PDB file of all heavy atoms in Angstrom:
ATOM      1  N   PRO A  50      10.248  -2.182   6.364  1.00 97.00           N
ATOM      2  CA  PRO A  50      10.495  -3.190   5.324  1.00 97.00           C
ATOM      3  C   PRO A  50       9.678  -2.950   4.051  1.00 97.00           C
ATOM      4  O   PRO A  50      10.144  -3.229   2.949  1.00 97.00           O
ATOM      5  CB  PRO A  50      10.095  -4.511   5.984  1.00 97.00           C
ATOM      6  CG  PRO A  50      10.217  -4.253   7.445  1.00 97.00           C
ATOM      7  CD  PRO A  50       9.834  -2.809   7.633  1.00 97.00           C
ATOM      8  N   THR A  51       8.464  -2.400   4.190  1.00 97.00           N
ATOM      9  CA  THR A  51       7.653  -2.151   3.000  1.00 97.00           C
ATOM     10  C   THR A  51       8.241  -1.008   2.177  1.00 97.00           C
ATOM     11  O   THR A  51       8.203  -1.040   0.949  1.00 97.00           O
ATOM     12  CB  THR A  51       6.180  -1.875   3.356  1.00 97.00           C
ATOM     13  OG1 THR A  51       6.075  -0.719   4.190  1.00 97.00           O
ATOM     14  CG2 THR A  51       5.561  -3.064   4.056  1.00 97.00           C
ATOM     15  N   LYS A  53      11.458  -0.299   2.005  1.00 97.00           N
ATOM     16  CA  LYS A  53      12.621  -0.881   1.331  1.00 97.00           C
ATOM     17  C   LYS A  53      12.200  -1.694   0.109  1.00 97.00           C
ATOM     18  O   LYS A  53      12.830  -1.610  -0.947  1.00 97.00           O
ATOM     19  CB  LYS A  53      13.410  -1.754   2.301  1.00 97.00           C
ATOM     20  CG  LYS A  53      14.137  -0.963   3.369  1.00 97.00           C
ATOM     21  CD  LYS A  53      14.865  -1.919   4.291  1.00 97.00           C
ATOM     22  CE  LYS A  53      15.566  -1.228   5.419  1.00 97.00           C
ATOM     23  NZ  LYS A  53      16.209  -2.189   6.330  1.00 97.00           N
ATOM     24  N   SER A  54      11.114  -2.482   0.236  1.00 97.00           N
ATOM     25  CA  SER A  54      10.621  -3.255  -0.910  1.00 97.00           C
ATOM     26  C   SER A  54      10.186  -2.328  -2.037  1.00 97.00           C
ATOM     27  O   SER A  54      10.501  -2.565  -3.208  1.00 97.00           O
ATOM     28  CB  SER A  54       9.451  -4.152  -0.491  1.00 97.00           C
ATOM     29  OG  SER A  54       9.894  -5.221   0.298  1.00 97.00           O
ATOM     30  N   PHE A  55       9.438  -1.283  -1.690  1.00 98.00           N
ATOM     31  CA  PHE A  55       8.986  -0.308  -2.681  1.00 98.00           C
ATOM     32  C   PHE A  55      10.178   0.303  -3.424  1.00 98.00           C
ATOM     33  O   PHE A  55      10.187   0.387  -4.653  1.00 98.00           O
ATOM     34  CB  PHE A  55       8.174   0.785  -1.980  1.00 98.00           C
ATOM     35  CG  PHE A  55       7.874   1.980  -2.840  1.00 98.00           C
ATOM     36  CD1 PHE A  55       6.807   1.969  -3.717  1.00 98.00           C
ATOM     37  CD2 PHE A  55       8.663   3.124  -2.745  1.00 98.00           C
ATOM     38  CE1 PHE A  55       6.537   3.090  -4.515  1.00 98.00           C
ATOM     39  CE2 PHE A  55       8.389   4.239  -3.530  1.00 98.00           C
ATOM     40  CZ  PHE A  55       7.324   4.218  -4.419  1.00 98.00           C
ATOM     41  N   LEU A  56      11.202   0.722  -2.682  1.00 98.00           N
ATOM     42  CA  LEU A  56      12.377   1.349  -3.303  1.00 98.00           C
ATOM     43  C   LEU A  56      13.110   0.392  -4.226  1.00 98.00           C
ATOM     44  O   LEU A  56      13.586   0.791  -5.298  1.00 98.00           O
ATOM     45  CB  LEU A  56      13.323   1.885  -2.226  1.00 98.00           C
ATOM     46  CG  LEU A  56      12.772   3.042  -1.389  1.00 98.00           C
ATOM     47  CD1 LEU A  56      13.736   3.385  -0.250  1.00 98.00           C
ATOM     48  CD2 LEU A  56      12.480   4.258  -2.246  1.00 98.00           C
ATOM     49  N   ARG A  57      13.181  -0.879  -3.843  1.00 98.00           N
ATOM     50  CA  ARG A  57      13.850  -1.871  -4.703  1.00 98.00           C
ATOM     51  C   ARG A  57      13.051  -2.109  -5.985  1.00 98.00           C
ATOM     52  O   ARG A  57      13.633  -2.273  -7.055  1.00 98.00           O
ATOM     53  CB  ARG A  57      14.064  -3.169  -3.936  1.00 98.00           C
ATOM     54  CG  ARG A  57      15.136  -3.034  -2.881  1.00 98.00           C
ATOM     55  CD  ARG A  57      15.382  -4.352  -2.176  1.00 98.00           C
ATOM     56  NE  ARG A  57      16.210  -4.134  -1.016  1.00 98.00           N
ATOM     57  CZ  ARG A  57      15.880  -4.506   0.217  1.00 98.00           C
ATOM     58  NH1 ARG A  57      14.746  -5.140   0.444  1.00 98.00           N
ATOM     59  NH2 ARG A  57      16.686  -4.267   1.226  1.00 98.00           N
ATOM     60  N   VAL A  58      11.719  -2.132  -5.868  1.00 98.00           N
ATOM     61  CA  VAL A  58      10.892  -2.277  -7.074  1.00 98.00           C
ATOM     62  C   VAL A  58      11.120  -1.079  -7.989  1.00 98.00           C
ATOM     63  O   VAL A  58      11.314  -1.235  -9.199  1.00 98.00           O
ATOM     64  CB  VAL A  58       9.394  -2.432  -6.712  1.00 98.00           C
ATOM     65  CG1 VAL A  58       8.514  -2.310  -7.950  1.00 98.00           C
ATOM     66  CG2 VAL A  58       9.142  -3.767  -6.012  1.00 98.00           C
ATOM     67  N   GLY A 112       2.345   0.797  -1.150  1.00 98.00           N
ATOM     68  CA  GLY A 112       2.036   0.809   0.270  1.00 98.00           C
ATOM     69  C   GLY A 112       1.394  -0.502   0.645  1.00 98.00           C
ATOM     70  O   GLY A 112       1.583  -1.515  -0.027  1.00 98.00           O
ATOM     71  N   LEU A 128       0.741  -1.065  -5.909  1.00 98.00           N
ATOM     72  CA  LEU A 128       1.739  -2.065  -5.536  1.00 98.00           C
ATOM     73  C   LEU A 128       1.578  -2.358  -4.051  1.00 98.00           C
ATOM     74  O   LEU A 128       1.679  -1.440  -3.224  1.00 98.00           O
ATOM     75  CB  LEU A 128       3.156  -1.547  -5.793  1.00 98.00           C
ATOM     76  CG  LEU A 128       4.281  -2.454  -5.302  1.00 98.00           C
ATOM     77  CD1 LEU A 128       4.452  -3.647  -6.249  1.00 98.00           C
ATOM     78  CD2 LEU A 128       5.587  -1.680  -5.184  1.00 98.00           C
ATOM     79  N   VAL A 129       1.338  -3.618  -3.711  1.00 98.00           N
ATOM     80  CA  VAL A 129       1.361  -4.024  -2.314  1.00 98.00           C
ATOM     81  C   VAL A 129       2.816  -4.378  -2.021  1.00 98.00           C
ATOM     82  O   VAL A 129       3.326  -5.391  -2.501  1.00 98.00           O
ATOM     83  CB  VAL A 129       0.426  -5.224  -2.042  1.00 98.00           C
ATOM     84  CG1 VAL A 129       0.512  -5.650  -0.587  1.00 98.00           C
ATOM     85  CG2 VAL A 129      -1.013  -4.875  -2.426  1.00 98.00           C
ATOM     86  N   ALA A 130       3.472  -3.507  -1.283  1.00 98.00           N
ATOM     87  CA  ALA A 130       4.898  -3.677  -0.987  1.00 98.00           C
ATOM     88  C   ALA A 130       5.069  -4.751   0.080  1.00 98.00           C
ATOM     89  O   ALA A 130       4.447  -4.690   1.133  1.00 98.00           O
ATOM     90  CB  ALA A 130       5.491  -2.351  -0.519  1.00 98.00           C
ATOM     91  N   ALA A 131       5.903  -5.721  -0.223  1.00 97.00           N
ATOM     92  CA  ALA A 131       6.112  -6.843   0.696  1.00 97.00           C
ATOM     93  C   ALA A 131       6.783  -6.391   1.983  1.00 97.00           C
ATOM     94  O   ALA A 131       7.694  -5.564   1.973  1.00 97.00           O
ATOM     95  CB  ALA A 131       6.957  -7.920   0.032  1.00 97.00           C
ATOM     96  N   HIS A 132       6.330  -6.945   3.062  1.00 95.00           N
ATOM     97  CA  HIS A 132       6.916  -6.720   4.381  1.00 95.00           C
ATOM     98  C   HIS A 132       7.943  -7.826   4.586  1.00 95.00           C
ATOM     99  O   HIS A 132       7.841  -8.647   5.493  1.00 95.00           O
ATOM    100  CB  HIS A 132       5.805  -6.788   5.437  1.00 95.00           C
ATOM    101  CG  HIS A 132       6.201  -6.229   6.751  1.00 95.00           C
ATOM    102  ND1 HIS A 132       6.915  -6.943   7.667  1.00 95.00           N
ATOM    103  CD2 HIS A 132       5.987  -5.013   7.296  1.00 95.00           C
ATOM    104  CE1 HIS A 132       7.123  -6.208   8.736  1.00 95.00           C
ATOM    105  NE2 HIS A 132       6.571  -5.035   8.537  1.00 95.00           N
ATOM    106  N   HIS A 133       8.906  -7.853   3.673  1.00 91.00           N
ATOM    107  CA  HIS A 133       9.833  -8.971   3.598  1.00 91.00           C
ATOM    108  C   HIS A 133      11.124  -8.473   2.968  1.00 91.00           C
ATOM    109  O   HIS A 133      11.115  -7.531   2.187  1.00 91.00           O
ATOM    110  CB  HIS A 133       9.209 -10.065   2.721  1.00 91.00           C
ATOM    111  CG  HIS A 133       9.875 -11.384   2.843  1.00 91.00           C
ATOM    112  ND1 HIS A 133      10.957 -11.733   2.073  1.00 91.00           N
ATOM    113  CD2 HIS A 133       9.623 -12.440   3.640  1.00 91.00           C
ATOM    114  CE1 HIS A 133      11.336 -12.960   2.389  1.00 91.00           C
ATOM    115  NE2 HIS A 133      10.549 -13.409   3.337  1.00 91.00           N
ATOM    116  N   ASN A 135      12.835  -9.863   0.720  1.00 94.00           N
ATOM    117  CA  ASN A 135      12.824 -10.109  -0.715  1.00 94.00           C
ATOM    118  C   ASN A 135      11.709  -9.292  -1.354  1.00 94.00           C
ATOM    119  O   ASN A 135      10.547  -9.646  -1.304  1.00 94.00           O
ATOM    120  CB  ASN A 135      12.635 -11.598  -1.008  1.00 94.00           C
ATOM    121  CG  ASN A 135      12.738 -11.912  -2.480  1.00 94.00           C
ATOM    122  OD1 ASN A 135      12.760 -11.028  -3.332  1.00 94.00           O
ATOM    123  ND2 ASN A 135      12.779 -13.200  -2.795  1.00 94.00           N
ATOM    124  N   HIS A 136      12.087  -8.186  -1.981  1.00 96.00           N
ATOM    125  CA  HIS A 136      11.102  -7.293  -2.592  1.00 96.00           C
ATOM    126  C   HIS A 136      10.337  -7.948  -3.732  1.00 96.00           C
ATOM    127  O   HIS A 136       9.287  -7.466  -4.133  1.00 96.00           O
ATOM    128  CB  HIS A 136      11.790  -6.022  -3.097  1.00 96.00           C
ATOM    129  CG  HIS A 136      12.669  -6.239  -4.289  1.00 96.00           C
ATOM    130  ND1 HIS A 136      13.898  -6.847  -4.195  1.00 96.00           N
ATOM    131  CD2 HIS A 136      12.481  -5.951  -5.585  1.00 96.00           C
ATOM    132  CE1 HIS A 136      14.440  -6.912  -5.395  1.00 96.00           C
ATOM    133  NE2 HIS A 136      13.596  -6.369  -6.264  1.00 96.00           N
ATOM    134  N   GLU A 137      10.835  -9.066  -4.246  1.00 95.00           N
ATOM    135  CA  GLU A 137      10.153  -9.743  -5.340  1.00 95.00           C
ATOM    136  C   GLU A 137       8.848 -10.396  -4.898  1.00 95.00           C
ATOM    137  O   GLU A 137       8.071 -10.846  -5.735  1.00 95.00           O
ATOM    138  CB  GLU A 137      11.083 -10.755  -6.000  1.00 95.00           C
ATOM    139  CG  GLU A 137      12.227 -10.051  -6.735  1.00 95.00           C
ATOM    140  CD  GLU A 137      13.188 -10.997  -7.415  1.00 95.00           C
ATOM    141  OE1 GLU A 137      12.983 -12.232  -7.356  1.00 95.00           O
ATOM    142  OE2 GLU A 137      14.152 -10.502  -8.014  1.00 95.00           O
ATOM    143  N   TYR A 138       8.573 -10.419  -3.605  1.00 96.00           N
ATOM    144  CA  TYR A 138       7.263 -10.865  -3.130  1.00 96.00           C
ATOM    145  C   TYR A 138       6.208  -9.766  -3.256  1.00 96.00           C
ATOM    146  O   TYR A 138       5.018 -10.023  -3.112  1.00 96.00           O
ATOM    147  CB  TYR A 138       7.334 -11.338  -1.681  1.00 96.00           C
ATOM    148  CG  TYR A 138       8.058 -12.659  -1.505  1.00 96.00           C
ATOM    149  CD1 TYR A 138       9.138 -12.762  -0.649  1.00 96.00           C
ATOM    150  CD2 TYR A 138       7.643 -13.790  -2.186  1.00 96.00           C
ATOM    151  CE1 TYR A 138       9.804 -13.968  -0.476  1.00 96.00           C
ATOM    152  CE2 TYR A 138       8.306 -15.003  -2.036  1.00 96.00           C
ATOM    153  CZ  TYR A 138       9.383 -15.082  -1.179  1.00 96.00           C
ATOM    154  OH  TYR A 138      10.034 -16.268  -1.011  1.00 96.00           O
ATOM    155  N   SER A 139       6.628  -8.527  -3.501  1.00 97.00           N
ATOM    156  CA  SER A 139       5.684  -7.429  -3.720  1.00 97.00           C
ATOM    157  C   SER A 139       4.847  -7.752  -4.960  1.00 97.00           C
ATOM    158  O   SER A 139       5.325  -8.398  -5.886  1.00 97.00           O
ATOM    159  CB  SER A 139       6.426  -6.112  -3.941  1.00 97.00           C
ATOM    160  OG  SER A 139       7.197  -5.774  -2.814  1.00 97.00           O
ATOM    161  N   ARG A 140       3.605  -7.269  -4.961  1.00 97.00           N
ATOM    162  CA  ARG A 140       2.710  -7.558  -6.082  1.00 97.00           C
ATOM    163  C   ARG A 140       1.896  -6.336  -6.466  1.00 97.00           C
ATOM    164  O   ARG A 140       1.382  -5.627  -5.595  1.00 97.00           O
ATOM    165  CB  ARG A 140       1.722  -8.680  -5.728  1.00 97.00           C
ATOM    166  CG  ARG A 140       2.335 -10.041  -5.531  1.00 97.00           C
ATOM    167  CD  ARG A 140       2.846 -10.583  -6.868  1.00 97.00           C
ATOM    168  NE  ARG A 140       3.293 -11.948  -6.773  1.00 97.00           N
ATOM    169  CZ  ARG A 140       4.547 -12.324  -6.557  1.00 97.00           C
ATOM    170  NH1 ARG A 140       5.477 -11.413  -6.349  1.00 97.00           N
ATOM    171  NH2 ARG A 140       4.878 -13.581  -6.518  1.00 97.00           N
ATOM    172  N   PHE A 141       1.761  -6.117  -7.762  1.00 97.00           N
ATOM    173  CA  PHE A 141       0.781  -5.170  -8.250  1.00 97.00           C
ATOM    174  C   PHE A 141      -0.576  -5.854  -8.175  1.00 97.00           C
ATOM    175  O   PHE A 141      -0.698  -7.042  -8.488  1.00 97.00           O
ATOM    176  CB  PHE A 141       1.086  -4.741  -9.685  1.00 97.00           C
ATOM    177  CG  PHE A 141       2.208  -3.747  -9.765  1.00 97.00           C
ATOM    178  CD1 PHE A 141       3.505  -4.156 -10.020  1.00 97.00           C
ATOM    179  CD2 PHE A 141       1.969  -2.398  -9.566  1.00 97.00           C
ATOM    180  CE1 PHE A 141       4.546  -3.244 -10.074  1.00 97.00           C
ATOM    181  CE2 PHE A 141       2.994  -1.473  -9.613  1.00 97.00           C
ATOM    182  CZ  PHE A 141       4.287  -1.901  -9.863  1.00 97.00           C
ATOM    183  N   VAL A 142      -1.578  -5.115  -7.756  1.00 96.00           N
ATOM    184  CA  VAL A 142      -2.918  -5.675  -7.649  1.00 96.00           C
ATOM    185  C   VAL A 142      -3.516  -5.766  -9.048  1.00 96.00           C
ATOM    186  O   VAL A 142      -3.586  -4.770  -9.770  1.00 96.00           O
ATOM    187  CB  VAL A 142      -3.831  -4.815  -6.753  1.00 96.00           C
ATOM    188  CG1 VAL A 142      -5.212  -5.437  -6.639  1.00 96.00           C
ATOM    189  CG2 VAL A 142      -3.208  -4.628  -5.371  1.00 96.00           C
ATOM    190  N   ASN A 146      -5.194 -11.581  -8.730  1.00 94.00           N
ATOM    191  CA  ASN A 146      -4.709 -11.732  -7.359  1.00 94.00           C
ATOM    192  C   ASN A 146      -5.495 -10.887  -6.358  1.00 94.00           C
ATOM    193  O   ASN A 146      -5.182 -10.883  -5.169  1.00 94.00           O
ATOM    194  CB  ASN A 146      -3.213 -11.432  -7.267  1.00 94.00           C
ATOM    195  CG  ASN A 146      -2.849  -9.983  -7.542  1.00 94.00           C
ATOM    196  OD1 ASN A 146      -3.691  -9.085  -7.552  1.00 94.00           O
ATOM    197  ND2 ASN A 146      -1.565  -9.751  -7.782  1.00 94.00           N
ATOM    198  N   LEU A 150      -5.133 -11.039  -2.223  1.00 94.00           N
ATOM    199  CA  LEU A 150      -4.584  -9.882  -1.511  1.00 94.00           C
ATOM    200  C   LEU A 150      -5.624  -9.271  -0.580  1.00 94.00           C
ATOM    201  O   LEU A 150      -5.305  -8.887   0.547  1.00 94.00           O
ATOM    202  CB  LEU A 150      -4.048  -8.851  -2.497  1.00 94.00           C
ATOM    203  CG  LEU A 150      -2.792  -9.287  -3.269  1.00 94.00           C
ATOM    204  CD1 LEU A 150      -2.472  -8.308  -4.384  1.00 94.00           C
ATOM    205  CD2 LEU A 150      -1.612  -9.454  -2.331  1.00 94.00           C
ATOM    206  N   ILE A 157       1.454  -8.174   2.639  1.00 95.00           N
ATOM    207  CA  ILE A 157       2.235  -9.382   2.353  1.00 95.00           C
ATOM    208  C   ILE A 157       3.290  -9.500   3.441  1.00 95.00           C
ATOM    209  O   ILE A 157       4.360  -8.898   3.369  1.00 95.00           O
ATOM    210  CB  ILE A 157       2.891  -9.313   0.959  1.00 95.00           C
ATOM    211  CG1 ILE A 157       1.819  -9.200  -0.132  1.00 95.00           C
ATOM    212  CG2 ILE A 157       3.779 -10.540   0.726  1.00 95.00           C
ATOM    213  CD1 ILE A 157       2.364  -8.944  -1.518  1.00 95.00           C
ATOM    214  N   PRO A 162       3.472 -14.761  -1.518  1.00 87.00           N
ATOM    215  CA  PRO A 162       2.800 -15.095  -2.766  1.00 87.00           C
ATOM    216  C   PRO A 162       3.671 -15.948  -3.656  1.00 87.00           C
ATOM    217  O   PRO A 162       4.902 -15.840  -3.636  1.00 87.00           O
ATOM    218  CB  PRO A 162       2.520 -13.730  -3.396  1.00 87.00           C
ATOM    219  CG  PRO A 162       3.496 -12.804  -2.771  1.00 87.00           C
ATOM    220  CD  PRO A 162       3.796 -13.351  -1.418  1.00 87.00           C
ATOM    221  N   ILE A 166       0.260 -15.473  -7.939  1.00 78.00           N
ATOM    222  CA  ILE A 166      -0.436 -14.415  -7.199  1.00 78.00           C
ATOM    223  C   ILE A 166       0.259 -13.088  -7.454  1.00 78.00           C
ATOM    224  O   ILE A 166       1.420 -12.928  -7.341  1.00 78.00           O
ATOM    225  CB  ILE A 166      -0.466 -14.724  -5.692  1.00 78.00           C
ATOM    226  CG1 ILE A 166      -1.221 -15.998  -5.457  1.00 78.00           C
ATOM    227  CG2 ILE A 166      -1.072 -13.579  -4.917  1.00 78.00           C
ATOM    228  CD1 ILE A 166      -1.200 -16.477  -4.039  1.00 78.00           C
TER     229      ILE A 166
END
Side-chain angles (χ1 to χ4, degrees):
T51 61
K53 290 179 183 177
S54 288
F55 169 83
L56 294 174
R57 288 183 191 125
V58 169
L128 174 76
V129 178
H132 195 278
H133 195 273
N135 185 349
H136 70 285
E137 292 180 1
Y138 288 124
S139 299
R140 293 291 187 266
F141 283 96
V142 181
N146 67 15
L150 291 170
I157 299 172
I166 298 174

